[in-house]
Amino acid sequence: MSVKVTLTMAEIFGLETELSGAVNQSTGEKLSKGLLAQPITLVTKFRLTELQKSLVEHKKTFETLRDELITKLGTKDADGNVSIPMYLESASEEAPKEINPVFIQFNQEFEAVLAETREITTQKFDISEFDFKTDENYPVFFKVLETATSAE
């Protein structure tokens, strides 16, 4: 049985990380294993993998739009990299840092997209499918699980 859950884009990002785990991009250190690495049945892992794949599509669309906005608002450096500095360059070290108005504009548009909601379809779960001990916390998945276990 399929269940529909409404999540913000920020929650979609969080849920995808909760399912797949997280790695520090700078050091390669594994920050969390993710639900898919927990001792769950093959059927449950299949359902979670299907859910994770649907989240990746939303994430790809968001990242493409974010990159387009950075290209539109940002400035290129000598190497051709585009960025939006948080602070404007000041004439002296002693001068207080002034926030870049372009960064504020980018952040406002970025936050507006993160607040957008999408309806996600997942399979109905039973709480007993997640009977394992872990130190990790899955707040967005708990929201999905609450909806997916209470569906009639």
Side-chain angles (χ1 to χ4, degrees):
M1 172 186 200
S2 292
V3 179
K4 294 186 185 290
V5 181
T6 301
L7 299 174
T8 65
M9 286 302 297
E11 288 173 322
I12 288 171
F13 273 82
L15 181 56
E16 199 275 329
T17 300
E18 290 174 15
L19 294 174
S20 303
V23 174
N24 182 321
Q25 298 297 324
S26 300
T27 65
E29 174 191 4
K30 188 171 237 175
L31 303 174
S32 69
K33 291 181 356 182
L35 265 170
L36 287 167
Q38 299 294 343
I40 53 179
T41 67
L42 187 60
V43 171
T44 302
K45 190 172 279 195
F46 175 77
R47 291 181 191 156
L48 289 176
T49 301
E50 291 295 306
L51 174 58
Q52 187 265 347
K53 285 180 182 177
S54 73
L55 301 173
V56 168
E57 290 306 311
H58 290 289
K59 192 174 171 180
K60 282 181 186 174
T61 301
F62 172 82
E63 288 173 345
T64 299
L65 294 172
R66 180 202 58 208
D67 292 346
E68 287 175 8
L69 185 60
I70 290 171
T71 301
K72 175 182 158 191
L73 298 177
T75 54
K76 281 187 182 180
D77 64 15
D79 297 327
N81 300 314
V82 180
S83 66
I84 303 172
M86 183 179 215
Y87 297 102
L88 296 173
E89 289 187 32
S90 58
S92 71
E93 291 290 320
E94 294 83 34
K97 291 187 176 186
E98 185 180 343
I99 294 182
N100 184 351
V102 175
F103 179 81
I104 293 171
Q105 179 186 353
F106 168 80
N107 204 38
Q108 288 171 337
E109 291 189 43
F110 186 75
E111 291 291 327
V113 175
L114 286 175
E116 284 286 309
T117 59
R118 292 294 173 266
E119 200 169 72
I120 304 299
T121 303
T122 186
Q123 294 297 312
K124 185 173 180 179
F125 292 105
D126 187 280
I127 191 72
S128 65
E129 294 177 81
F130 304 96
D131 188 20
F132 56 84
K133 292 184 180 185
T134 182
D135 292 336
E136 296 185 10
N137 189 17
Y138 307 110
V140 182
F141 184 72
F142 293 153
K143 177 180 177 177
V144 171
L145 186 61
E146 181 179 15
T147 302
T149 55
S150 64
E152 296 295 324

